Amino acid sequence: MTQMLGVLLERCARELRDAAEDNAHMEGVVQGLLAQQDHSFAATGMLKLQGMDLLTQRIADLARFLEQISPAVQDIAVEIGPAQSVLHLRDLGERLAGRQADARSEAGWLDEF
């Protein structure tokens, strides 16, 4: 299947933006769980949350980067079949190919465990 590279990069950016939002949400969930723990465990866990926050920022920055470069490559066609075949998540591949709705319209969060 052939896709225009700019469109494909925009879809990748959207996936990364969604992943950054998901990670930020999970960071909040973990922070809430850590707040319920004893002080020594919570302090160590809070330090680990800084790594999770950095991951959120890296993912969001990659999304912004792809959004900025995608207009420059709008007219380039690429065959995405081989790249799609290495993905483990079929629904991700379908969204990147433009054959499935945005993940945000399909999923929600449940904060209760």
Side-chain angles (χ1 to χ4, degrees):
M1 168 181 229
T2 302
Q3 293 280 323
M4 299 311 286
L5 184 56
V7 172
L8 185 58
L9 291 177
E10 289 170 3
R11 289 180 189 143
C12 288
R14 185 179 320 120
E15 289 293 329
L16 287 167
R17 229 182 8 260
D18 289 350
E21 289 175 15
D22 291 348
N23 199 60
H25 179 82
M26 288 305 301
E27 185 179 348
V29 170
V30 171
Q31 187 173 13
L33 291 172
L34 287 172
Q36 298 172 11
Q37 303 301 315
D38 68 70
H39 177 69
S40 62
F41 179 76
T44 303
M46 291 297 185
L47 289 174
K48 299 287 185 187
L49 278 178
Q50 290 178 345
M52 197 173 208
D53 180 59
L54 180 59
L55 177 60
T56 299
Q57 292 178 49
R58 289 172 59 199
I59 294 169
D61 275 352
L62 286 169
R64 284 187 284 275
F65 179 82
L66 291 177
E67 287 169 340
Q68 289 300 307
I69 65 171
S70 65
V73 293
Q74 287 294 331
D75 298 333
I76 299 171
V78 294
E79 174 57 44
I80 66 167
Q84 245 185 324
S85 71
V86 300
L87 298 176
H88 292 244
L89 302 174
R90 184 176 52 178
D91 62 329
L92 174 62
E94 293 296 308
R95 285 193 305 274
L96 291 176
R99 292 191 298 253
Q100 192 178 70
D102 188 351
R104 290 283 174 222
S105 65
E106 300 171 1
W109 278 103
L110 177 63
D111 287 337
E112 299 174 21
F113 291 91

